[in-house]
Amino acid sequence: MTHNAAADMQYMQQALKLAREGVGYVSPNPLVGCVIVKDGQVVGRGHHQRFGGPHAEVYALQEAGMRASGATLYVNLEPCSHTGKTPPCAEAVVQAGVRRVVMAWRDPNPLVAGGGLAQLRQAGIAVTVGIGEAEARQLNEAFLKYITTQCPFVTLKCAMSLDGKIATRTGASRWITGDLARAEVHRLRHATDAIVVGIGTVLQDDPLLTTRLPDRRGVHALRVIVDSTLRLPLQAQVAQVTADCRTLVATTSRAAAARQQQLQEQGVEILSLPAYDDGHVNLEALWHYLGTRGVASALVEGGATLSATLLRRRLVDKVLFFVAPKIIGGDGISVIGACGVETMEQVIGLQHLTEQRLGEDVVLQAYLSRSDEHTRSREGG
């Protein structure tokens, strides 16, 4: 049986668009959208709306009803074949009488890993895999990292001047970038599970680190402060905790017990972790801990010291540099602190560089190159 590749891509694009409606609400589950087509007409649509709720296929099948029999189902991720918080979707697809399934890519979850695909084919359903795969993978890049490593996908976000400075020599940094760039940061916060900053940023800027989208929409991510000696002021904005705006401080055994108790009485979570030889929080341990509590994505917002440590240890997956057409000069504060690079062979390589204009600012996005992993061996404990 021949199929129209252009039509397949068109409907898959609709499924991907639906999937994006779950951003901020379904993690650590993947973003999934589903479209059901019969006789050239869309008869069912759905997306995964919240963690623990029905999957995209269930909503689409409910809308399609009896029209799902003999139809083609488009979904950007392999239907699940296991029972978790909800029944397996592959079984529901089979029972609905769907004739063909078009999926963007196989689910990397070890609990699925081709099981849904096999179940569909065993039931006699024709399955096409790979339509829109590249876009589907990027959409769920955080889920892919989390489900295969149990650690969050880490994005390093920096706002800087054209000459690579995040503040003047006095520490002034508001505002380097324009309104459109700052609005994009709040969309990023809504899409992530945790926002991570160093204590230096808190002491300098006293940030709120909440999601502020129009009409008060958006989800507040877990605020994570890396603070080796627990210097976080009790009156800091991030130390004010509410039911939907939580704060976790990652510290070490050097933290004063009295300050720890005071912060805990305010509702701040305190996590004591091992330290590196220099006394700073072991960030590998932090990422592993966050993974255990279902944090699939983390957005690091500074500052220069924390950013340098993460890059030096290759603990970042993606970088986002918001670059403003401004020059601060050599006495300003650099966007990245010392990384110990002495030769060009030791530089931190990036790949897949793309750019986007936001008003007068430019956003540069790139992924860490894993071809230089051997440089990690020069790092101390």
Side-chain angles (χ1 to χ4, degrees):
M1 182 183 297
T2 59
H3 302 290
N4 187 322
D8 282 350
M9 180 59 77
Q10 175 189 344
Y11 292 125
M12 184 59 73
Q13 288 296 324
Q14 292 185 34
L16 286 163
K17 184 177 180 180
L18 284 167
R20 292 188 185 91
E21 294 186 20
V23 168
Y25 303 107
V26 304
S27 184
N29 281 355
L31 297 163
V32 183
C34 181
V35 173
I36 300 175
V37 179
K38 188 171 186 179
D39 300 328
Q41 299 293 321
V42 175
V43 296
R45 300 177 180 84
H47 72 277
H48 188 31
Q49 299 179 14
R50 61 179 179 83
F51 177 71
H55 291 184
E57 297 94 322
V58 173
Y59 285 114
L61 288 170
Q62 286 176 348
E63 183 177 307
M66 297 298 293
R67 295 172 295 178
S69 180
T72 298
L73 182 147
Y74 294 85
V75 63
N76 61 294
L77 191 67
E78 175 184 3
C80 64
S81 57
H82 67 292
T83 300
K85 291 185 177 294
T86 61
C89 291
E91 182 178 317
V93 173
V94 171
Q95 292 178 349
V98 169
R99 184 184 64 180
R100 178 177 178 237
V101 171
V102 180
M103 66 179 72
W105 63 308
R106 299 189 185 192
D107 193 336
N109 185 344
L111 295 175
V112 182
L117 173 62
Q119 188 172 345
L120 295 173
R121 284 180 169 161
Q122 188 175 9
I125 297 175
V127 182
T128 301
V129 183
I131 303 297
E133 180 174 357
E135 187 175 344
R137 280 179 170 269
Q138 185 168 27
L139 176 65
N140 274 309
E141 60 188 5
F143 171 73
L144 173 60
K145 165 78 178 295
Y146 170 76
I147 205 66
T148 55
T149 68
Q150 297 301 301
C151 286
F153 182 91
V154 181
T155 299
L156 174 62
K157 184 236 77 176
C158 303
M160 64 183 186
S161 63
L162 190 61
D163 57 340
K165 306 299 180 182
I166 58 174
T168 67
R169 64 180 179 83
T170 64
S173 60
R174 295 180 181 177
W175 296 102
I176 290 180
T177 54
D179 292 343
L180 290 178
R182 295 200 297 277
E184 177 63 19
V185 170
H186 285 286
R187 285 190 288 271
L188 289 169
R189 289 179 176 180
H190 169 70
T192 196
D193 296 333
I195 300 171
V196 185
V197 299
I199 184 59
T201 296
V202 175
L203 295 176
Q204 176 65 45
D205 299 334
D206 191 24
L208 189 54
L209 301 182
T210 55
T211 300
R212 299 184 291 280
L213 293 175
D215 302 322
R216 297 186 178 181
R217 293 181 298 108
V219 177
H220 299 310
L222 173 68
R223 301 176 296 190
V224 179
I225 316 302
V226 181
D227 184 2
S228 303
T229 56
L230 214 54
R231 293 184 289 157
L232 179 63
L234 299 177
Q235 67 274 20
Q237 292 197 92
V238 292
Q240 315 311 311
V241 177
T242 62
D244 64 345
C245 199
R246 300 159 298 142
T247 297
L248 168 73
V249 179
T251 189
T252 69
S253 59
R254 295 192 293 158
R259 175 56 59 88
Q260 178 173 327
Q261 182 177 348
Q262 290 172 318
L263 287 168
Q264 287 175 322
E265 288 174 354
Q266 291 188 189
V268 176
E269 292 183 64
I270 306 295
L271 174 66
S272 184
L273 291 171
Y276 294 128
D277 287 346
D278 62 5
H280 290 121
V281 171
N282 184 304
L283 298 172
E284 286 92 343
L286 175 58
W287 286 170
H288 282 291
Y289 169 78
L290 291 176
T292 65
R293 59 185 288 171
V295 172
S297 58
L299 180 67
V300 180
E301 295 203 27
T305 302
L306 177 61
S307 299
T309 303
L310 289 168
L311 287 169
R312 192 170 66 244
R313 293 182 172 274
R314 307 306 192 266
L315 296 177
V316 171
D317 297 290
K318 181 168 72 176
V319 297
L320 284 174
F321 283 177
F322 290 71
V323 185
K326 301 173 182 177
I327 293 175
I328 292 178
D331 55 349
I333 301 173
S334 294
V335 62
I336 305 295
C339 289
V341 173
E342 297 179 354
T343 67
M344 289 306 296
E345 287 71 31
Q346 296 175 336
V347 299
I348 299 162
L350 301 173
Q351 59 188 359
H352 309 309
L353 178 67
T354 58
E355 66 176 72
Q356 174 189 1
R357 287 293 296 269
L358 288 175
E360 293 296 313
D361 304 320
V362 176
V363 184
L364 300 176
Q365 172 183 289
Y367 294 81
L368 249 68
S369 171
R370 300 305 176 184
S371 61
D372 59 352
E373 288 286 340
H374 66 276
T375 58
R376 193 186 297 183
S377 63
R378 65 188 172 86
E379 305 297 339

